[in-house]
């Protein structure tokens, strides 16, 4: 089946630094990828939809200047958490669909646990 | 009101028990429904899609009631390995057909 690779799996960084997370579709092209954030014991919350070759669409309440998304190719989307602070500590996960239909299975990366000290 | 609501649990059941989870969604225009399973600090994995007529996959049965905007998941003969969080997922018919996740229901199956 389709594979989505995400790395790093976990990051520990100092407050004020920027962290880049990569999401790759290994065996299919993904014009659209999704970025989620999950706090402990809470649901996955969609942060933004990453569109290849165009600007990402951010959900309400998500700062686009804080969470920079780049989707420069059909197989790679990156999320950069700029000037990270302890409240940004969370589990970040990306997903993609091989096709665009609503019934297409969604494949997830393995997630990135970010801890900001 | 949340778009997709689930009882967070936890549901603590003995091995072999039958357990049912419920989920309600608020957007009547939603067309696709899924149950995902998520283990702690792991990515969600698709358990099964939910079809209007109801569907079964081994020990798992999913039901959809569009009139009540209600989805259910039934697990029979629970195994220890079924312990996980079960996420109700509904497509949101906005641009890109995004999926909206419920908060999840935690299941703990005990020996």
């Amino acid at each position: 089946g389709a594979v989505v690779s995400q790395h790093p799996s976990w990051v520990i960084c100092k407050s004020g630094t920027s962290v880049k997370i990569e999401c790759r579709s290994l065996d299919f092209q993904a014009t659209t990828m999704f970025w989620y954030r999950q706090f402990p014991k809470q649901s996955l919350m969609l942060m933004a939809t990453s569109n290849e070759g165009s600007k990402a669409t951010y959900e309400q309440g998500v700062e686009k200047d804080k969470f920079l998304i780049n989707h420069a190719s059909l197989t790679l989307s990156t999320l950069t958490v700029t000037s990270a602070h302890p409240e940004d500590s969370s589990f970040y996960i990306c997903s993609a669909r091989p096709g665009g239909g609503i019934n297409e299975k969604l494949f997830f990366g393995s997630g990135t646990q970010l801890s900001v000290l | 009101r949340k778009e997709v609501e689930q009882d967070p649990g936890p549901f603590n059941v003995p091995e072999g028990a039958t357990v049912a989870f419920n989920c309600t969604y608020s957007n009547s225009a939603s067309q696709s429904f899924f149950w995902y399973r998520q283990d702690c600090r792991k990515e969600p994995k698709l358990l099964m899609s939910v079809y209007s007529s109801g569907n079964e996959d081994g020990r798992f049965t999913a039901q959809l009631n569009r009139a009540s905007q209600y989805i259910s998941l039934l697990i029979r003969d629970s195994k220890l390995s079924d312990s996980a969080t079960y996420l109700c997922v509904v497509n949101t018919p906005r641009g890109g057909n995004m999926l909206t996740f419920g908060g999840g229901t935690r299941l703990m199956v005990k020996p």
Side-chain angles (χ1 to χ4, degrees):
Chain A
V3 176
V4 174
S5 173
Q6 182 177 344
H7 72 91
S9 298
W10 57 272
V11 179
I12 301 174
C13 68
K14 293 181 179 179
S15 186
T17 59
S18 293
V19 176
K20 180 186 282 189
I21 303 170
E22 292 189 350
C23 181
R24 293 179 185 273
S25 55
L26 296 185
D27 51 0
F28 65 96
Q29 293 183 332
T31 55
T32 303
M33 290 185 176
F34 304 96
W35 286 97
Y36 296 85
R37 180 169 53 184
Q38 186 176 33
F39 292 107
K41 297 184 179 180
Q42 293 188 25
S43 179
L44 276 76
M45 296 300 296
L46 180 65
M47 298 175 66
T49 302
S50 171
N51 304 298
E52 187 269 334
S54 64
K55 291 182 180 180
T57 305
Y58 289 82
E59 293 300 299
Q60 191 174 10
V62 178
E63 300 174 58
K64 61 180 181 181
D65 295 328
K66 170 78 173 177
F67 299 98
L68 300 179
I69 291 174
N70 185 290
H71 195 154
S73 77
L74 287 171
T75 59
L76 174 64
S77 175
T78 61
L79 168 68
T80 301
V81 183
T82 61
S83 187
H85 290 284
E87 59 265 29
D88 298 323
S89 299
S90 186
F91 188 61
Y92 293 85
I93 192 164
C94 68
S95 68
R97 283 193 184 103
I102 60 174
N103 291 317
E104 289 285 344
K105 181 178 177 178
L106 198 64
F107 291 88
F108 286 87
S110 55
T112 299
Q113 180 64 52
L114 172 63
S115 296
V116 185
L117 305 178
Chain B
R1 183 185 172 190
K2 293 181 182 178
E3 287 191 63
V4 181
E5 292 202 66
Q6 294 181 250
D7 180 345
F11 284 59
N12 296 300
V13 303
E15 260 187 299
T18 296
V19 61
F21 306 139
N22 302 322
C23 169
T24 57
Y25 60 96
S26 62
N27 192 325
S28 60
S30 297
Q31 299 175 44
S32 300
F33 311 90
F34 310 89
W35 283 101
Y36 277 74
R37 169 194 169 130
Q38 186 179 25
D39 294 289
C40 188
R41 284 293 171 258
K42 299 286 187 182
E43 72 275 23
K45 294 184 178 178
L46 179 65
L47 181 64
M48 58 196 305
S49 302
V50 186
Y51 302 118
S52 296
S53 55
N55 49 299
E56 186 175 309
D57 183 0
R59 298 181 293 109
F60 300 86
T61 301
Q63 297 279 353
L64 168 63
N65 184 322
R66 287 187 185 272
S68 301
Q69 294 179 203
Y70 170 97
I71 305 157
S72 67
L73 175 68
L74 182 77
I75 304 175
R76 290 182 299 277
D77 189 22
S78 299
K79 311 291 184 190
L80 295 176
S81 57
D82 293 334
S83 298
T85 296
Y86 291 83
L87 305 171
C88 175
V89 184
V90 175
N91 92 299
T92 305
R94 332 181 234 140
N97 282 308
M98 272 89 72
L99 297 182
T100 300
F101 287 77
T105 298
R106 191 174 173 203
L107 171 66
M108 297 185 70
V109 182
K110 299 184 180 298

